[in-house]
Amino acid sequence: MEDQQVACPVCTETILIPVEEYAELLEGDVLECEHCGAYLEILSLEPIELVVVEGGEDGFYVLCPRCENEIEVEAEGEAVTCDNCGYTFTPDWSEVTGEDEGRDYRN
Ligand SMILES: [Zn+2]
Ligand SMILES: [Zn+2]
């Protein structure tokens, strides 16, 4: 066995999984992409298939209320236009969580 390389589905960078780590992975485990910080759940191991659990640092994901398309949004607080059905809406930002959820800003 050799180290496994898999392309991050979010940022397309290669994620290297050392063989000893790969041997301990199970379907359903979650990896973190070292390049973009995305969380990737393992769907299957041979060959390795990943599904994005939570996007990386580039943006947030919201669901279109009309067609349930997943839309990546860059900045919080703006209206979003669905690229699937064209519907424009303003997400409930209090329910949209980025990677910093839970961070305590008080020092
Ligand atoms: Zn990535
Ligand atoms: Zn839509």
Side-chain angles (χ1 to χ4, degrees), residues 33-53:
C33 174
E34 62 198 88
H35 305 285
C36 70
Y39 289 95
L40 308 164
E41 183 177 329
I42 297 168
L43 274 187
S44 70
L45 284 167
E46 292 183 36
I48 191 160
E49 271 186 64
L50 301 173
V51 64
V52 181
V53 180

Side-chain angles (χ1 to χ4, degrees), residues 17-34:
I17 306 172
V19 65
E20 61 272 20
E21 198 175 305
Y22 179 73
E24 296 187 353
L25 290 176
L26 298 170
E27 290 175 16
D29 280 358
V30 175
L31 299 175
E32 184 176 356
C33 174
E34 62 198 88

Side-chain angles (χ1 to χ4, degrees), residues 84-102:
N84 185 50
C85 72
Y87 184 63
T88 300
F89 64 101
T90 303
D92 181 349
W93 293 105
S94 65
E95 294 187 0
V96 177
T97 53
E99 61 163 359
D100 292 331
E101 183 185 12

